Amino acid sequence: GSTAAAQDWKETLKKAATAAADKATDGKLTQYALAGTWNYTGPGVKFEGNDIASEVGGAALETAVVKQLEKAYAKAGIQPGAGTFTFGKDDDTFTATLSTHTLTGTYEYDAPTHVVTLHFAKGKFNLGSVPGHAYISGQELVLVFPVTKLVEVVTALGSKVSYFSTATALLSKYKNVYVGFAFSK
């Protein structure tokens, strides 16, 4: 018990320090840390907002949303350990592998806003450009997109939208909700 609790506190402090450093550098810390290969660990959820009430409400809702997304992702074949996302170190390319699907393209990252726009290469799935947000906290990357965009991407990959109906219904009443994926280095 106490060893696990100490590790949880260490990770919490590491995440808080990373978030504070990222804020102090106007998002540049995330920009530099983004390059490399990240391993899929589970769904990612981010609630954007300036008021504390929406942040507190978002934090309380996040656990329920993650559980719904875990079920939907598993049905779509996306499970922890079954995916990676690699951002190029010397160029602006990316390669994403989720389940049996591999997507490539280029990306743009705007440090102050944390907006990462993925420009997918044309191929079997013509997804075009998809704007999202990237946040690094400790050793975790959360890559999230507006809920409607995520449903479009998953639909294009051949999964049924019904997998996401519960989570989507839950999120539709909240403004500035982003869902996607969490990764670790």
Side-chain angles (χ1 to χ4, degrees), residues 102-182:
T102 298
L103 303 168
T104 61
T106 60
Y107 73 95
E108 296 173 55
Y109 181 76
D110 182 60
T113 62
H114 285 260
V115 171
V116 61
T117 303
L118 304 177
H119 304 285
F120 291 93
K122 289 187 179 180
K124 184 177 178 183
F125 309 107
N126 290 322
L127 300 174
S129 295
V130 179
H133 289 86
Y135 299 93
I136 294 178
S137 178
Q139 291 293 311
E140 181 182 65
L141 163 67
V142 177
L143 188 59
V144 291
F145 305 92
V147 72
T148 53
K149 283 292 183 190
L150 182 66
V151 170
E152 286 176 23
V153 169
V154 172
T155 302
L157 294 176
S159 298
K160 294 185 168 99
V161 178
S162 62
Y163 294 155
F164 293 91
S165 61
T166 305
T168 307
L170 186 62
L171 296 171
S172 64
K173 61 185 173 188
Y174 292 90
K175 293 182 180 181
N176 301 321
V177 176
Y178 297 85
V179 295
F181 311 96

Side-chain angles (χ1 to χ4, degrees), residues 34-150:
L34 199 56
T37 298
W38 297 86
N39 299 304
Y40 174 69
T41 58
V45 179
K46 182 80 172 159
F47 294 84
E48 295 279 316
N50 292 331
D51 63 7
I52 192 69
S54 69
E55 288 183 26
V56 171
L61 185 62
E62 185 176 333
T63 303
V65 172
V66 166
K67 287 183 184 204
Q68 291 299 322
L69 289 174
E70 282 174 345
K71 292 176 192 173
Y73 286 6
K75 288 181 181 180
I78 303 170
Q79 298 185 22
T84 61
F85 208 107
T86 302
F87 289 96
K89 292 183 185 207
D90 298 322
D91 57 14
D92 294 332
T93 62
F94 73 86
T95 301
T97 303
L98 294 171
S99 184
T100 60
H101 305 288
T102 298
L103 303 168
T104 61
T106 60
Y107 73 95
E108 296 173 55
Y109 181 76
D110 182 60
T113 62
H114 285 260
V115 171
V116 61
T117 303
L118 304 177
H119 304 285
F120 291 93
K122 289 187 179 180
K124 184 177 178 183
F125 309 107
N126 290 322
L127 300 174
S129 295
V130 179
H133 289 86
Y135 299 93
I136 294 178
S137 178
Q139 291 293 311
E140 181 182 65
L141 163 67
V142 177
L143 188 59
V144 291
F145 305 92
V147 72
T148 53
K149 283 292 183 190
L150 182 66

